[in-house]
Amino acid sequence: MHEIVVVRHGSGPEVLLVHGGAGPRTTWGALAPLAERWSLAYVHRRGYPPSPPPQRRQDFDVDAQDLAPLLVGSPHVVAHSYGALGALIAVAAAPGNIRSLTLIEPPLNQLAPYDPEVARLQRIGDAVLTHGMDTDPGELREFLALAGAPVGEGPLPKQVVAGVRRAHGSRPTSEARPRLAAVRGAEVPVLVASGGHSAALERVCDALAAALAGERVVRPGAGHFVAGAPGFSARLETFLRDNAR
């Protein structure tokens, strides 16, 4: 497979930024000022130019394979949404290679298996990945709003439709089973972040932080795109500095 593209800005210790369903600019734009003190390495997952398209579909195991060689330089890893799945799998395979791991609203709904709201979130999310624009219209809009897309009340914007079509056929998140025990056992410093906009996601992030013995932070104000929320950039930088070994 052709290698993915990583675009770097700034200088200092490297922070590897792994986006999810939205591209790097949308996901990480608010963190740009950190380039004054850190080397920000913007990963472009397969299907997000200038990286090549996936050979078959979006797949967190393929993401993990792409990310594995990028961990050799001991970066801090910051990952969002679907991209956090591949990041977790890659880190679990070589936990000693990184300085710290920040996970933002990863879709690990299986961590709260008896929660009906989380179960509904997982069902709707998997439906959108499986059926794309043919998903039940109400459930499609519900999921897109939760994922931070500007859905409104009229027809879906063209860029939103394009995003749904790009994700259509992706490997369902319910199949992800990252080896959390390997990450916890290696005592990787972990920060789990959420945006306070979904009770179900809050409970998933609580369960993940507990499983990884990680720090937990909630920063409302930007929905699913927590990196853009007030105060998040400063909190992240504090965490990075505290783990600058």
Side-chain angles (χ1 to χ4, degrees):
M1 293 185 294
H2 295 294
E3 294 182 353
I4 59 171
V5 173
V6 180
V7 179
R8 290 176 169 83
H9 294 288
S11 60
E14 181 164 289
V15 181
L16 192 70
L17 299 171
V18 186
H19 67 90
R25 180 177 298 180
T26 299
T27 306
W28 308 120
L31 300 185
L34 294 181
E36 296 179 6
R37 297 170 294 278
W38 306 85
S39 177
L40 302 182
Y42 297 91
V43 171
H44 290 68
R45 295 173 53 236
R46 292 184 184 275
Y48 295 80
S51 285
Q55 288 189 328
R56 181 172 168 231
R57 62 177 180 171
Q58 297 285 341
D59 187 325
F60 41 79
D61 277 331
V62 175
D63 287 341
Q65 294 171 25
D66 288 332
L67 293 171
L70 302 176
L71 304 184
V72 174
S74 298
H76 298 275
V77 177
V78 182
H80 181 249
S81 196
Y82 195 98
L85 302 179
L88 255 175
I89 293 168
V91 169
N97 282 0
I98 70 167
R99 300 185 185 190
S100 71
L101 176 63
T102 299
L103 301 166
I104 304 173
E105 296 198 350
L108 286 167
N109 302 307
Q110 56 270 34
L111 294 180
Y114 305 111
D115 187 308
E117 291 183 35
V118 173
R120 174 178 169 78
L121 175 60
Q122 178 166 296
R123 180 182 64 78
I124 294 175
D126 281 356
V128 172
L129 295 183
T130 302
H131 303 296
M133 291 301 298
D134 292 329
T135 305
D136 173 83
E139 292 187 346
L140 176 61
R141 284 183 175 272
E142 179 182 348
F143 178 80
L144 289 173
L146 189 68
V151 293
E153 296 183 357
L156 294 177
K158 291 182 179 179
Q159 70 271 23
V160 174
V161 172
V164 173
R165 288 176 173 160
R166 178 170 51 197
H168 186 189
S170 297
R171 188 173 178 185
T173 63
S174 58
E175 295 181 7
R177 294 294 184 273
R179 294 167 48 235
L180 302 183
V183 179
R184 178 170 182 153
E187 298 184 347
V188 175
V190 173
L191 176 67
V192 179
S194 59
H197 62 104
S198 162
L201 278 173
E202 292 302 312
R203 290 194 285 273
V204 169
C205 288
D206 288 344
L208 179 60
L212 295 177
E215 299 180 35
R216 183 75 171 88
V217 61
V218 181
R219 286 292 184 271
H224 187 48
F225 293 103
V226 183
F232 176 80
S233 180
R235 178 65 180 87
L236 174 64
E237 187 164 25
T238 297
F239 177 70
L240 299 178
R241 285 175 171 165
D242 287 346
N243 296 286
R245 57 176 174 82

